[in-house]
Amino acid sequence: HQQILQEADFSNPADLDRVVEAAWALATAMLAPIPYSLTRLAAVQEQRKRMDRWKERFSKSLCRHFNNVFISLGNEGGEGLGHRDLHLPLRTRLHQELLPYSKLMHWLKQVEPKNYQQLQSTYTCSLQKLYQRDLDRFFEDAFVRVNGSGASVVASQVFVFCH
């Protein structure tokens, strides 16, 4: 498990199950109930420090990966709305790509709640940018279709006014 945590490749879906298993094994070991009298033993304290170091390294790597994924999703170009039917693009693919990471996010929530909250904020901000671009394009296309092709500047001004 230590080797898997050290060499975790989060972008490889084939390795994800092993990484999740190793992460939860670490969490189980860290959260195992130990009688108070044993916690004072040097060997137990040493093992706890060792597990904390593994947790820190792994969670740092995991957070870096998630941060990069979320930021790249927010910077992703929107799918064109210039279709015959006026509609917002479905982001099903995006959510399906993130689904395999749900167990690792749950692990992070349990083991490193502060890091989890920070990632949650990054996710929200990044996807807000993506959905905002989708909405901007949608309203601009809708306005152009209603008023003609020369009105896109007015459409953006009306949309800003509505915010």
Side-chain angles (χ1 to χ4, degrees), residues 42-139:
V44 172
Q45 291 176 359
E46 181 182 318
Q47 285 297 317
R48 283 193 171 209
K49 287 179 186 175
R50 190 171 169 225
M51 286 187 288
D52 277 338
R53 284 192 303 270
W54 281 105
K55 177 190 75 160
E56 291 297 322
R57 284 186 212 138
F58 178 72
S59 68
K60 187 176 182 179
S61 173
L62 181 63
C63 288
R64 189 177 324 111
H65 175 75
F66 280 147
N67 219 10
N68 292 339
V69 167
F70 296 157
I71 289 171
S72 71
L73 289 175
N75 293 330
E76 183 177 277
E79 298 169 10
L81 294 174
H83 303 294
R84 283 194 176 142
D85 298 329
L86 189 63
H87 68 281
L88 286 168
L90 297 176
R91 295 295 179 182
T92 309
R93 180 193 57 78
L94 178 144
H95 297 289
Q96 286 175 343
E97 287 178 16
L98 294 176
L99 192 60
Y101 297 115
S102 62
K103 292 178 183 175
L104 287 173
M105 285 299 285
H106 183 67
W107 178 87
L108 198 61
K109 184 178 181 180
Q110 296 294 319
V111 177
E112 291 281 348
K114 287 183 182 179
N115 289 344
Y116 172 80
Q117 288 174 347
Q118 180 61 41
L119 278 175
Q120 194 174 31
S121 175
T122 303
Y123 172 81
T124 303
C125 290
S126 295
L127 282 158
Q128 179 183 7
K129 287 180 1 186
L130 180 65
Y131 284 115
Q132 187 62 50
R133 276 196 309 271
D134 287 349
L135 284 171
D136 290 346
R137 286 186 187 128
F138 175 80
F139 282 116

Side-chain angles (χ1 to χ4, degrees), residues 17-30:
D17 287 337
R18 292 185 4 220
V19 172
V20 168
E21 180 184 334
W24 280 106
L26 176 62
T28 302
M30 292 182 73

Side-chain angles (χ1 to χ4, degrees), residues 33-45 48:
I34 298 175
Y36 179 75
S37 58
L38 294 179
T39 60
R40 304 191 75 182
L41 294 174
V44 172
Q45 291 176 359
R48 283 193 171 209

